[in-house]
Amino acid sequence: MLFSSITFLFLFLPVTVLIYYLVPQKTRNLVLLIASLFFYAWGEPVYVVLMILSILLNFFCGKDIGEKRADPVRAKRSLIFAVVMNVLILGFFKYYGLLMETLNVLFPYEIPYRELALPIGISFYTFQELSYLIDIYRGNAKPQQRLLPFALYISMFPQLIAGPIVRYVDIEAQLLNRVMSMRKFGQGVMYFIVGFAKKVVLADSIGALYEQITALSIGSFSVLTAWVGCLAFAFQIYFDFSGYSDMAIGLGKMFGFEFRKNFQYPYIAKNIGEFWRRWHISLGTWFREYVYIPLGGNKCPASRHLLNLLIVWALTGLWHGAQWNFLVWGLYYGVILILERYVWGRALGRLPVFVQHIYTFVLVLIGWVFFFSPSLGAAMDYLGVMFGAGASAWIDRQGFYFLLTHWLLFLLCAIGSSLRGMNILRLLTGSYESRRIRQIAACVVYIGMFLVSLAFLVTESFHPFLYFRF
């Protein structure tokens, strides 16, 4: 079930909110858990069983690790067992096809295999479970003794299927006792509407242009058209994923939870390191806390630091997809971060700010080609066209047509992906002296945004969130 669907907006969410606020406080976790399981089963009726089994496995593994903390050796064995089990489950469903495909390339005979449908959200809830187990082992969290709060932590529908990745230590107290108020609920509604508008107005609209360009045969379009398509995807994935994250944060507030931001205007970054501190913050934090620092981080010899970075970024790439182009995408960023750290980082910092922005944005656009291409070969072909190899021309009428017919949409995307977008929204809703007028203005603006977004939703075709595939 999509957040940006009529069923969710006018049936599932209102009914869930109504029941949630009518029942006694001690029953609300149960209501939210049932709603979350129903939400997941709506699209994954079979794999909801897998998620329940995963919840049970990690609940008892967490208790086992907690009981053995006095004996570090036994606790470590329990942690290794739990981590291996989670990785095997994730690996089987996500990387089985890649493994069989690789084996068929390496060996002279072909092994028949069946493609497995990837359970939605498995990468996200598996990482939450792993962080829970590791934090118990480290002593940063106590094992949850009651199944209901733990099951809710894993299955909570606002962030279940595409994040943000929420650490247990961040919402442990909220699972048992959380503050709810009309003000907080209203803030949640505003967050949700902003995310809703990002998704259906901006992401889906600019995504239609990207799909139109990539539907053309490679080499039949110009360098300009190739860059326009790449730019369209860059805006599509940002507004699609950050829109989902905003909706998740807003829904969390409606039910009394506080989730951390997952995006902080990444396209205004001045280097790749800053870009990744602003993009998918919860995933970057996870890899830093549970992979990079345990490997030694940057507090080690330079050669080891280089290896640590490459390992982390290889895993980051593979986390996003079981294809070689995702691995290359991750290593691409790992290499750039190494170069920024050891080669040209200081020189880059002395350049004019606008040059730093251009440098970062161009490298990010090149990286997105590996991300959106169906294969590594297709990515290399598309990059070739972007730089003139195999292109029909450097500039053509088609490229100009795409720009002239979509210039306003690109302008809105550029404003919306920077601080200016939020500043304009604040100006429209909070620049009045009277509190009453500010409240009326906010209602008018946000209701207007919702109605416009709803009109786009009704008239446009079905567009699932891009990160559902991960």
Side-chain angles (χ1 to χ4, degrees):
M1 192 186 304
L2 296 178
F3 292 165
S4 55
S5 67
I6 299 299
T7 303
F8 179 86
L9 292 171
F10 295 103
L11 184 60
F12 177 84
L13 183 58
V15 170
T16 302
V17 168
L18 182 63
I19 296 174
Y20 182 82
Y21 277 92
L22 286 177
V23 300
Q25 185 172 351
K26 63 181 180 180
T27 316
R28 286 174 176 168
N29 277 358
L30 179 60
V31 170
L32 200 51
L33 175 61
I34 294 172
S36 297
L37 293 176
F38 177 82
F39 174 86
Y40 192 79
W42 182 273
E44 297 283 356
V46 174
Y47 285 143
V48 71
V49 177
L50 174 67
M51 186 177 69
I52 292 172
L53 293 175
S54 182
I55 288 171
L56 293 172
L57 168 70
N58 287 281
F59 174 70
F60 289 109
C61 283
K63 292 183 68 174
D64 183 54
I65 294 168
E67 291 170 358
K68 295 176 178 176
R69 280 205 69 246
D71 186 340
V73 175
R74 295 179 65 207
K76 189 172 185 177
R77 286 175 183 169
S78 294
L79 175 67
I80 292 173
F81 168 79
V83 169
V84 168
M85 290 299 296
N86 279 283
V87 171
L88 284 176
I89 293 171
L90 177 62
F92 177 73
F93 284 98
K94 192 162 186 174
Y95 304 106
Y96 171 76
L98 176 64
L99 174 63
M100 297 306 297
E101 179 184 328
T102 304
L103 289 176
N104 284 335
V105 170
L106 294 176
F107 292 104
Y109 51 87
E110 184 171 347
I111 306 172
Y113 67 95
R114 180 181 178 183
E115 288 284 354
L116 298 173
L118 181 66
I120 292 178
I122 188 171
S123 298
F124 290 92
Y125 71 71
T126 299
F127 269 32
Q128 291 195 176
E129 290 165 333
L130 289 173
S131 69
Y132 168 74
L133 297 171
I134 296 170
D135 283 341
I136 292 174
Y137 174 77
R138 291 175 174 176
N140 296 331
K142 294 182 179 179
Q144 177 57 248
Q145 299 300 317
R146 296 167 55 196
L147 180 59
L148 176 58
F150 178 75
L152 179 59
Y153 161 64
I154 299 301
S155 66
M156 200 184 311
F157 77 85
Q159 45 73 231
L160 169 63
I161 48 182
I165 300 171
V166 180
R167 294 177 62 190
Y168 177 76
V169 292
D170 291 333
I171 65 166
E172 180 179 7
Q174 299 177 51
L175 288 167
L176 302 178
N177 185 27
R178 48 194 175 271
V179 177
M180 289 176 287
S181 64
M182 288 304 299
R183 178 181 176 82
K184 191 173 184 178
F185 186 89
Q187 290 174 341
V189 171
M190 290 189 291
Y191 259 98
F192 184 88
I193 290 174
V194 169
F196 183 42
K198 282 183 176 181
K199 164 61 179 170
V200 300
V201 177
L202 296 178
D204 290 351
S205 298
I206 201 70
L209 173 60
Y210 157 74
E211 291 173 1
Q212 185 178 354
I213 291 174
T214 52
L216 301 171
S217 59
I218 197 72
S220 68
F221 49 85
S222 67
V223 172
L224 175 61
T225 301
W227 281 94
V228 170
C230 189
L231 181 61
F233 179 82
F235 283 131
Q236 180 193 14
I237 194 168
Y238 170 71
F239 287 111
D240 188 280
F241 194 19
S242 70
Y244 179 94
S245 295
D246 287 345
M247 284 191 271
I249 292 170
L251 289 169
K253 285 181 178 290
M254 292 183 204
F255 295 102
F257 289 91
E258 293 286 348
F259 302 145
R260 294 186 178 184
K261 279 188 175 183
N262 208 23
F263 289 85
Q264 191 66 28
Y265 305 107
Y267 289 151
I268 68 171
K270 297 189 291 294
N271 55 64
I272 294 300
E274 183 186 355
F275 172 80
W276 278 105
R277 290 191 294 273
R278 293 173 175 271
W279 180 278
H280 204 346
I281 298 169
S282 63
L283 181 67
T285 301
W286 196 97
F287 272 108
R288 185 182 68 247
E289 293 293 324
Y290 301 108
V291 181
Y292 180 66
I293 292 177
L295 285 173
N298 58 2
K299 296 180 179 179
C300 55
S303 58
R304 176 67 189 188
H305 182 224
L306 300 183
L307 179 61
N308 292 344
L309 283 172
L310 291 176
I311 290 173
V312 167
W313 284 100
L315 292 175
T316 301
L318 287 174
W319 180 88
H320 280 88
Q323 292 174 300
W324 293 115
N325 51 302
F326 285 109
L327 174 61
V328 173
W329 175 76
L331 292 174
Y332 166 81
Y333 278 111
V335 170
I336 293 175
L337 288 169
I338 289 171
L339 294 173
E340 285 188 352
R341 176 66 181 268
Y342 291 101
V343 181
W344 60 59
R346 290 184 181 179
L348 177 65
R350 291 193 291 267
L351 294 174
V353 172
F354 80 93
V355 175
Q356 297 178 50
H357 286 310
I358 293 173
Y359 154 87
T360 304
F361 195 56
V362 169
L363 288 180
V364 169
L365 288 178
I366 293 171
W368 284 135
V369 177
F370 293 106
F371 197 91
F372 67 65
S373 298
S375 66
L376 183 57
M380 299 310 295
D381 290 340
Y382 195 97
L383 282 171
V385 175
M386 285 175 65
F387 291 96
S392 61
W394 284 91
I395 298 173
D396 61 358
R397 291 181 180 180
Q398 185 181 56
F400 274 119
Y401 172 78
F402 287 137
L403 285 176
L404 289 174
T405 54
H406 294 83
W407 70 268
L408 180 58
L409 183 56
F410 276 118
L411 178 61
L412 291 174
C413 287
I415 293 172
S417 60
S418 69
L419 291 168
R420 291 184 182 275
M422 187 54 66
N423 289 339
I424 292 172
L425 187 58
R426 287 170 181 161
L427 182 65
L428 292 173
T429 59
S431 60
Y432 307 96
E433 293 184 4
S434 170
R435 180 184 176 189
R436 182 69 173 171
I437 295 177
R438 287 199 303 270
Q439 291 174 335
I440 294 173
C443 288
V444 171
V445 169
Y446 280 97
I447 290 174
M449 287 175 60
F450 179 76
L451 292 177
V452 169
S453 303
L454 196 61
F456 272 79
L457 177 64
V458 172
T459 57
E460 296 295 327
S461 57
F462 174 77
H463 292 284
F465 289 96
L466 295 180
Y467 260 67
F468 276 13
R469 73 184 73 167
F470 310 128

